[in-house]
Amino acid sequence: MHHIDIQVKTHFIASHSDESANEYAFAYTITITNQSDVTVQLLKRAWKITDADHKITRVAGDGVVGEQPHIAPGESYSYTSGTVLATPIGTMEGFYTMVSNSGEHFDVEIPSFRLAIPNIIH
């Protein structure tokens, strides 16, 4: 069993948003911690992005931010990326496809997290 921990922090980017055009920009920083006893490599990502109008966008591809990092046991890898929603609140969820140093492929769930303008929900 591969023990991979996923932590997410989100941030609204007002300077890249345009409310009059229904464009709300968000950054998210993800930290992936390898709590298993083997080195793993992140090969692919798959995202489901849902805005407040229930519009779903799916994004998939190789690696993250142009990298396919190797993560040794006990080590972490962090990256920051972003997305633009048509509403001031939404969610993201998905999974990473990884491979262990023994060649075993497996998926790691990225639990759903919220993207929201600060103080939009009281």
Side-chain angles (χ1 to χ4, degrees), residues 2 4-5 13 27 48 50 55 62 65 71 90 92 95 101-102 122:
H2 301 282
I4 309 296
D5 182 61
I13 309 172
K48 176 184 171 188
T50 307
K55 178 184 170 229
D62 292 338
V65 294
I71 309 168
M92 287 182 68
F95 64 90
N101 57 358
S102 65
H122 303 290

Side-chain angles (χ1 to χ4, degrees), residues 14-87:
S15 62
H16 287 78
S17 299
D18 183 352
E19 190 173 337
S20 66
N22 292 324
E23 294 178 353
Y24 301 88
F26 297 91
Y28 53 90
T29 299
I30 298 186
T31 301
I32 304 162
T33 302
N34 181 358
Q35 297 176 329
S36 69
D37 56 1
V38 297
T39 296
V40 299
Q41 182 181 14
L42 190 160
L43 298 177
K44 298 176 184 282
R45 73 193 180 292
W47 288 110
K48 176 184 171 188
I49 306 164
T50 307
D51 72 15
D53 294 330
H54 305 290
K55 178 184 170 229
I56 295 173
T57 303
R58 295 190 185 273
V59 178
D62 292 338
V64 291
V65 294
E67 298 181 1
Q68 291 181 312
H70 291 83
I71 309 168
E75 304 229 334
S76 295
Y77 172 83
S78 293
Y79 72 96
T80 300
S81 190
T83 192
V84 176
L85 299 179
T87 60

